[in-house]
PDB file of all heavy atoms in Angstrom:
ATOM      1  N   SER A 185      77.026 181.568 289.117  1.00 97.00           N
ATOM      2  CA  SER A 185      77.876 180.478 288.662  1.00 97.00           C
ATOM      3  C   SER A 185      78.998 180.919 287.733  1.00 97.00           C
ATOM      4  O   SER A 185      79.992 180.184 287.544  1.00 97.00           O
ATOM      5  CB  SER A 185      77.043 179.409 287.939  1.00 97.00           C
ATOM      6  OG  SER A 185      76.399 179.964 286.796  1.00 97.00           O
ATOM      7  N   VAL A 186      78.949 182.111 287.164  1.00 98.00           N
ATOM      8  CA  VAL A 186      79.975 182.582 286.292  1.00 98.00           C
ATOM      9  C   VAL A 186      80.694 183.801 286.785  1.00 98.00           C
ATOM     10  O   VAL A 186      81.592 184.343 286.132  1.00 98.00           O
ATOM     11  CB  VAL A 186      79.400 182.893 284.868  1.00 98.00           C
ATOM     12  CG1 VAL A 186      78.598 181.682 284.343  1.00 98.00           C
ATOM     13  CG2 VAL A 186      78.544 184.135 284.826  1.00 98.00           C
ATOM     14  N   LEU A 187      80.282 184.307 287.949  1.00 97.00           N
ATOM     15  CA  LEU A 187      80.910 185.505 288.518  1.00 97.00           C
ATOM     16  C   LEU A 187      82.391 185.326 288.652  1.00 97.00           C
ATOM     17  O   LEU A 187      82.862 184.258 289.107  1.00 97.00           O
ATOM     18  CB  LEU A 187      80.245 185.789 289.848  1.00 97.00           C
ATOM     19  CG  LEU A 187      80.394 187.181 290.459  1.00 97.00           C
ATOM     20  CD1 LEU A 187      79.832 188.233 289.516  1.00 97.00           C
ATOM     21  CD2 LEU A 187      79.719 187.245 291.826  1.00 97.00           C
ATOM     22  N   ASP A 188      83.119 186.352 288.267  1.00 96.00           N
ATOM     23  CA  ASP A 188      84.582 186.364 288.323  1.00 96.00           C
ATOM     24  C   ASP A 188      85.263 185.504 287.281  1.00 96.00           C
ATOM     25  O   ASP A 188      86.515 185.412 287.222  1.00 96.00           O
ATOM     26  CB  ASP A 188      85.119 185.942 289.687  1.00 96.00           C
ATOM     27  CG  ASP A 188      84.680 186.906 290.829  1.00 96.00           C
ATOM     28  OD1 ASP A 188      84.589 188.126 290.525  1.00 96.00           O
ATOM     29  OD2 ASP A 188      84.441 186.460 291.935  1.00 96.00           O
ATOM     30  N   ARG A 189      84.460 184.853 286.431  1.00 98.00           N
ATOM     31  CA  ARG A 189      85.036 184.059 285.291  1.00 98.00           C
ATOM     32  C   ARG A 189      84.636 184.627 283.980  1.00 98.00           C
ATOM     33  O   ARG A 189      85.431 184.536 283.026  1.00 98.00           O
ATOM     34  CB  ARG A 189      84.584 182.604 285.427  1.00 98.00           C
ATOM     35  CG  ARG A 189      85.000 181.886 286.727  1.00 98.00           C
ATOM     36  CD  ARG A 189      84.707 180.389 286.627  1.00 98.00           C
ATOM     37  NE  ARG A 189      83.270 180.122 286.490  1.00 98.00           N
ATOM     38  CZ  ARG A 189      82.768 179.417 285.487  1.00 98.00           C
ATOM     39  NH1 ARG A 189      83.559 178.935 284.515  1.00 98.00           N
ATOM     40  NH2 ARG A 189      81.443 179.163 285.438  1.00 98.00           N
ATOM     41  N   PHE A 190      83.459 185.162 283.843  1.00 98.00           N
ATOM     42  CA  PHE A 190      82.962 185.662 282.563  1.00 98.00           C
ATOM     43  C   PHE A 190      82.874 187.160 282.603  1.00 98.00           C
ATOM     44  O   PHE A 190      82.603 187.753 283.679  1.00 98.00           O
ATOM     45  CB  PHE A 190      81.570 185.095 282.305  1.00 98.00           C
ATOM     46  CG  PHE A 190      81.482 183.641 281.982  1.00 98.00           C
ATOM     47  CD1 PHE A 190      82.566 182.769 282.161  1.00 98.00           C
ATOM     48  CD2 PHE A 190      80.337 183.087 281.460  1.00 98.00           C
ATOM     49  CE1 PHE A 190      82.536 181.436 281.858  1.00 98.00           C
ATOM     50  CE2 PHE A 190      80.194 181.760 281.167  1.00 98.00           C
ATOM     51  CZ  PHE A 190      81.286 180.900 281.365  1.00 98.00           C
ATOM     52  N   THR A 191      83.071 187.782 281.428  1.00 98.00           N
ATOM     53  CA  THR A 191      82.972 189.218 281.341  1.00 98.00           C
ATOM     54  C   THR A 191      82.159 189.600 280.082  1.00 98.00           C
ATOM     55  O   THR A 191      82.495 189.161 278.992  1.00 98.00           O
ATOM     56  CB  THR A 191      84.325 189.928 281.259  1.00 98.00           C
ATOM     57  OG1 THR A 191      85.082 189.554 282.371  1.00 98.00           O
ATOM     58  CG2 THR A 191      84.178 191.449 281.180  1.00 98.00           C
ATOM     59  N   ILE A 192      81.100 190.377 280.255  1.00 98.00           N
ATOM     60  CA  ILE A 192      80.263 190.794 279.139  1.00 98.00           C
ATOM     61  C   ILE A 192      80.677 192.227 278.793  1.00 98.00           C
ATOM     62  O   ILE A 192      81.031 193.032 279.653  1.00 98.00           O
ATOM     63  CB  ILE A 192      78.775 190.739 279.477  1.00 98.00           C
ATOM     64  CG1 ILE A 192      77.958 191.006 278.222  1.00 98.00           C
ATOM     65  CG2 ILE A 192      78.401 191.646 280.617  1.00 98.00           C
ATOM     66  CD1 ILE A 192      76.441 190.726 278.433  1.00 98.00           C
ATOM     67  N   SER A 193      80.587 192.516 277.505  1.00 95.00           N
ATOM     68  CA  SER A 193      80.851 193.867 277.033  1.00 95.00           C
ATOM     69  C   SER A 193      80.038 194.125 275.793  1.00 95.00           C
ATOM     70  O   SER A 193      79.596 193.198 275.134  1.00 95.00           O
ATOM     71  CB  SER A 193      82.347 194.103 276.760  1.00 95.00           C
ATOM     72  OG  SER A 193      82.806 193.212 275.751  1.00 95.00           O
ATOM     73  N   ARG A 194      79.823 195.414 275.498  1.00 94.00           N
ATOM     74  CA  ARG A 194      79.103 195.807 274.298  1.00 94.00           C
ATOM     75  C   ARG A 194      79.813 196.948 273.607  1.00 94.00           C
ATOM     76  O   ARG A 194      80.400 197.801 274.267  1.00 94.00           O
ATOM     77  CB  ARG A 194      77.649 196.212 274.626  1.00 94.00           C
ATOM     78  CG  ARG A 194      77.527 197.422 275.531  1.00 94.00           C
ATOM     79  CD  ARG A 194      76.063 197.609 276.000  1.00 94.00           C
ATOM     80  NE  ARG A 194      75.205 198.120 274.954  1.00 94.00           N
ATOM     81  CZ  ARG A 194      73.848 198.295 275.104  1.00 94.00           C
ATOM     82  NH1 ARG A 194      73.280 197.980 276.266  1.00 94.00           N
ATOM     83  NH2 ARG A 194      73.136 198.740 274.097  1.00 94.00           N
ATOM     84  N   ASP A 195      79.818 196.898 272.315  1.00 93.00           N
ATOM     85  CA  ASP A 195      80.399 197.968 271.477  1.00 93.00           C
ATOM     86  C   ASP A 195      79.319 198.494 270.613  1.00 93.00           C
ATOM     87  O   ASP A 195      79.057 197.943 269.529  1.00 93.00           O
ATOM     88  CB  ASP A 195      81.606 197.445 270.708  1.00 93.00           C
ATOM     89  CG  ASP A 195      82.374 198.483 269.948  1.00 93.00           C
ATOM     90  OD1 ASP A 195      81.790 199.532 269.634  1.00 93.00           O
ATOM     91  OD2 ASP A 195      83.558 198.295 269.667  1.00 93.00           O
ATOM     92  N   ASN A 196      78.710 199.547 271.043  1.00 91.00           N
ATOM     93  CA  ASN A 196      77.546 200.076 270.291  1.00 91.00           C
ATOM     94  C   ASN A 196      77.957 200.535 268.901  1.00 91.00           C
ATOM     95  O   ASN A 196      77.193 200.357 267.912  1.00 91.00           O
ATOM     96  CB  ASN A 196      76.886 201.231 271.032  1.00 91.00           C
ATOM     97  CG  ASN A 196      76.209 200.795 272.329  1.00 91.00           C
ATOM     98  OD1 ASN A 196      75.823 199.622 272.446  1.00 91.00           O
ATOM     99  ND2 ASN A 196      76.058 201.708 273.276  1.00 91.00           N
ATOM    100  N   ALA A 197      79.093 201.122 268.770  1.00 93.00           N
ATOM    101  CA  ALA A 197      79.516 201.655 267.483  1.00 93.00           C
ATOM    102  C   ALA A 197      79.698 200.549 266.462  1.00 93.00           C
ATOM    103  O   ALA A 197      79.375 200.717 265.255  1.00 93.00           O
ATOM    104  CB  ALA A 197      80.811 202.434 267.629  1.00 93.00           C
ATOM    105  N   ARG A 198      80.223 199.413 266.936  1.00 95.00           N
ATOM    106  CA  ARG A 198      80.450 198.249 265.995  1.00 95.00           C
ATOM    107  C   ARG A 198      79.274 197.296 265.984  1.00 95.00           C
ATOM    108  O   ARG A 198      79.298 196.294 265.279  1.00 95.00           O
ATOM    109  CB  ARG A 198      81.727 197.523 266.428  1.00 95.00           C
ATOM    110  CG  ARG A 198      82.991 198.287 266.117  1.00 95.00           C
ATOM    111  CD  ARG A 198      84.227 197.433 266.480  1.00 95.00           C
ATOM    112  NE  ARG A 198      85.430 198.047 265.991  1.00 95.00           N
ATOM    113  CZ  ARG A 198      86.090 199.012 266.599  1.00 95.00           C
ATOM    114  NH1 ARG A 198      85.615 199.527 267.736  1.00 95.00           N
ATOM    115  NH2 ARG A 198      87.187 199.498 266.102  1.00 95.00           N
ATOM    116  N   ARG A 199      78.256 197.598 266.833  1.00 95.00           N
ATOM    117  CA  ARG A 199      77.045 196.724 266.879  1.00 95.00           C
ATOM    118  C   ARG A 199      77.387 195.313 267.327  1.00 95.00           C
ATOM    119  O   ARG A 199      76.901 194.328 266.745  1.00 95.00           O
ATOM    120  CB  ARG A 199      76.283 196.753 265.526  1.00 95.00           C
ATOM    121  CG  ARG A 199      75.883 198.076 265.088  1.00 95.00           C
ATOM    122  CD  ARG A 199      75.210 198.079 263.722  1.00 95.00           C
ATOM    123  NE  ARG A 199      76.060 197.616 262.642  1.00 95.00           N
ATOM    124  CZ  ARG A 199      75.668 197.563 261.385  1.00 95.00           C
ATOM    125  NH1 ARG A 199      74.470 197.933 261.046  1.00 95.00           N
ATOM    126  NH2 ARG A 199      76.534 197.128 260.490  1.00 95.00           N
ATOM    127  N   MET A 200      78.242 195.233 268.306  1.00 95.00           N
ATOM    128  CA  MET A 200      78.742 193.913 268.760  1.00 95.00           C
ATOM    129  C   MET A 200      78.515 193.795 270.271  1.00 95.00           C
ATOM    130  O   MET A 200      78.571 194.723 271.048  1.00 95.00           O
ATOM    131  CB  MET A 200      80.258 193.800 268.480  1.00 95.00           C
ATOM    132  CG  MET A 200      80.629 193.797 267.037  1.00 95.00           C
ATOM    133  SD  MET A 200      80.070 192.341 266.169  1.00 95.00           S
ATOM    134  CE  MET A 200      81.060 191.070 266.939  1.00 95.00           C
ATOM    135  N   VAL A 201      78.303 192.522 270.655  1.00 96.00           N
ATOM    136  CA  VAL A 201      78.252 192.132 272.085  1.00 96.00           C
ATOM    137  C   VAL A 201      79.176 190.964 272.261  1.00 96.00           C
ATOM    138  O   VAL A 201      79.263 190.077 271.413  1.00 96.00           O
ATOM    139  CB  VAL A 201      76.814 191.747 272.490  1.00 96.00           C
ATOM    140  CG1 VAL A 201      76.767 191.472 273.994  1.00 96.00           C
ATOM    141  CG2 VAL A 201      75.811 192.839 272.162  1.00 96.00           C
ATOM    142  N   TYR A 202      79.928 190.989 273.359  1.00 97.00           N
ATOM    143  CA  TYR A 202      80.948 189.956 273.565  1.00 97.00           C
ATOM    144  C   TYR A 202      80.756 189.281 274.955  1.00 97.00           C
ATOM    145  O   TYR A 202      80.194 189.886 275.875  1.00 97.00           O
ATOM    146  CB  TYR A 202      82.369 190.563 273.557  1.00 97.00           C
ATOM    147  CG  TYR A 202      82.682 191.311 272.310  1.00 97.00           C
ATOM    148  CD1 TYR A 202      82.600 192.715 272.236  1.00 97.00           C
ATOM    149  CD2 TYR A 202      83.070 190.580 271.149  1.00 97.00           C
ATOM    150  CE1 TYR A 202      82.952 193.381 271.060  1.00 97.00           C
ATOM    151  CE2 TYR A 202      83.390 191.281 269.969  1.00 97.00           C
ATOM    152  CZ  TYR A 202      83.306 192.653 269.928  1.00 97.00           C
ATOM    153  OH  TYR A 202      83.614 193.335 268.767  1.00 97.00           O
ATOM    154  N   LEU A 203      81.234 188.059 275.018  1.00 98.00           N
ATOM    155  CA  LEU A 203      81.260 187.376 276.283  1.00 98.00           C
ATOM    156  C   LEU A 203      82.633 186.676 276.381  1.00 98.00           C
ATOM    157  O   LEU A 203      82.871 185.690 275.666  1.00 98.00           O
ATOM    158  CB  LEU A 203      80.122 186.378 276.419  1.00 98.00           C
ATOM    159  CG  LEU A 203      80.061 185.682 277.805  1.00 98.00           C
ATOM    160  CD1 LEU A 203      79.642 186.666 278.877  1.00 98.00           C
ATOM    161  CD2 LEU A 203      79.043 184.485 277.770  1.00 98.00           C
ATOM    162  N   GLN A 204      83.467 187.181 277.252  1.00 98.00           N
ATOM    163  CA  GLN A 204      84.744 186.534 277.490  1.00 98.00           C
ATOM    164  C   GLN A 204      84.571 185.517 278.622  1.00 98.00           C
ATOM    165  O   GLN A 204      84.105 185.847 279.689  1.00 98.00           O
ATOM    166  CB  GLN A 204      85.822 187.566 277.909  1.00 98.00           C
ATOM    167  CG  GLN A 204      87.181 186.985 278.262  1.00 98.00           C
ATOM    168  CD  GLN A 204      87.858 186.356 277.048  1.00 98.00           C
ATOM    169  OE1 GLN A 204      87.829 186.918 275.955  1.00 98.00           O
ATOM    170  NE2 GLN A 204      88.430 185.185 277.254  1.00 98.00           N
ATOM    171  N   MET A 205      84.933 184.287 278.307  1.00 98.00           N
ATOM    172  CA  MET A 205      84.708 183.188 279.282  1.00 98.00           C
ATOM    173  C   MET A 205      86.047 182.564 279.592  1.00 98.00           C
ATOM    174  O   MET A 205      86.749 182.036 278.762  1.00 98.00           O
ATOM    175  CB  MET A 205      83.758 182.112 278.648  1.00 98.00           C
ATOM    176  CG  MET A 205      82.456 182.689 278.165  1.00 98.00           C
ATOM    177  SD  MET A 205      81.300 181.414 277.679  1.00 98.00           S
ATOM    178  CE  MET A 205      82.163 180.723 276.254  1.00 98.00           C
ATOM    179  N   ASN A 206      86.434 182.668 280.868  1.00 98.00           N
ATOM    180  CA  ASN A 206      87.650 182.106 281.352  1.00 98.00           C
ATOM    181  C   ASN A 206      87.423 181.019 282.385  1.00 98.00           C
ATOM    182  O   ASN A 206      86.307 180.863 282.935  1.00 98.00           O
ATOM    183  CB  ASN A 206      88.518 183.202 281.991  1.00 98.00           C
ATOM    184  CG  ASN A 206      88.876 184.278 281.047  1.00 98.00           C
ATOM    185  OD1 ASN A 206      89.075 184.080 279.841  1.00 98.00           O
ATOM    186  ND2 ASN A 206      89.001 185.523 281.540  1.00 98.00           N
ATOM    187  N   SER A 207      88.414 180.207 282.679  1.00 98.00           N
ATOM    188  CA  SER A 207      88.307 179.134 283.634  1.00 98.00           C
ATOM    189  C   SER A 207      87.046 178.296 283.431  1.00 98.00           C
ATOM    190  O   SER A 207      86.282 178.016 284.337  1.00 98.00           O
ATOM    191  CB  SER A 207      88.300 179.748 285.065  1.00 98.00           C
ATOM    192  OG  SER A 207      89.463 180.518 285.283  1.00 98.00           O
ATOM    193  N   LEU A 208      86.883 177.886 282.185  1.00 98.00           N
ATOM    194  CA  LEU A 208      85.644 177.157 281.825  1.00 98.00           C
ATOM    195  C   LEU A 208      85.614 175.809 282.532  1.00 98.00           C
ATOM    196  O   LEU A 208      86.610 175.153 282.776  1.00 98.00           O
ATOM    197  CB  LEU A 208      85.572 176.986 280.309  1.00 98.00           C
ATOM    198  CG  LEU A 208      85.146 178.264 279.592  1.00 98.00           C
ATOM    199  CD1 LEU A 208      85.515 178.183 278.092  1.00 98.00           C
ATOM    200  CD2 LEU A 208      83.670 178.480 279.716  1.00 98.00           C
ATOM    201  N   LYS A 209      84.336 175.441 282.875  1.00 98.00           N
ATOM    202  CA  LYS A 209      84.089 174.186 283.565  1.00 98.00           C
ATOM    203  C   LYS A 209      83.128 173.338 282.697  1.00 98.00           C
ATOM    204  O   LYS A 209      82.431 173.842 281.827  1.00 98.00           O
ATOM    205  CB  LYS A 209      83.426 174.470 284.908  1.00 98.00           C
ATOM    206  CG  LYS A 209      84.213 175.396 285.794  1.00 98.00           C
ATOM    207  CD  LYS A 209      83.408 175.717 287.070  1.00 98.00           C
ATOM    208  CE  LYS A 209      84.168 176.692 287.978  1.00 98.00           C
ATOM    209  NZ  LYS A 209      83.405 176.998 289.214  1.00 98.00           N
ATOM    210  N   SER A 210      83.085 172.077 282.974  1.00 97.00           N
ATOM    211  CA  SER A 210      82.198 171.174 282.214  1.00 97.00           C
ATOM    212  C   SER A 210      80.725 171.628 282.331  1.00 97.00           C
ATOM    213  O   SER A 210      79.998 171.480 281.352  1.00 97.00           O
ATOM    214  CB  SER A 210      82.317 169.755 282.726  1.00 97.00           C
ATOM    215  OG  SER A 210      82.041 169.629 284.072  1.00 97.00           O
ATOM    216  N   GLU A 211      80.388 172.188 283.458  1.00 97.00           N
ATOM    217  CA  GLU A 211      79.003 172.625 283.644  1.00 97.00           C
ATOM    218  C   GLU A 211      78.671 173.898 282.850  1.00 97.00           C
ATOM    219  O   GLU A 211      77.492 174.326 282.804  1.00 97.00           O
ATOM    220  CB  GLU A 211      78.671 172.852 285.124  1.00 97.00           C
ATOM    221  CG  GLU A 211      79.673 173.713 285.876  1.00 97.00           C
ATOM    222  CD  GLU A 211      80.676 172.898 286.628  1.00 97.00           C
ATOM    223  OE1 GLU A 211      81.192 171.889 286.069  1.00 97.00           O
ATOM    224  OE2 GLU A 211      80.954 173.241 287.803  1.00 97.00           O
TER     225      GLU A 211
END
């Protein structure tokens, strides 16, 4: 349901995890 819209990434050095969410839908 999120393929091609969301992108996950991790930055081990900064101890961070991210989720970029584009083209968001009500669902």
Side-chain angles (χ1 to χ4, degrees):
S185 59
V186 307
L187 198 59
D188 297 327
R189 299 189 298 122
F190 290 11
T191 303
I192 188 172
S193 60
R194 62 189 288 176
D195 186 335
N196 291 337
R198 289 183 170 82
R199 302 178 297 182
M200 296 291 294
V201 184
Y202 303 101
L203 184 68
Q204 178 66 43
M205 306 187 295
N206 299 327
S207 302
L208 283 161
K209 305 175 181 180
S210 58
E211 50 263 44

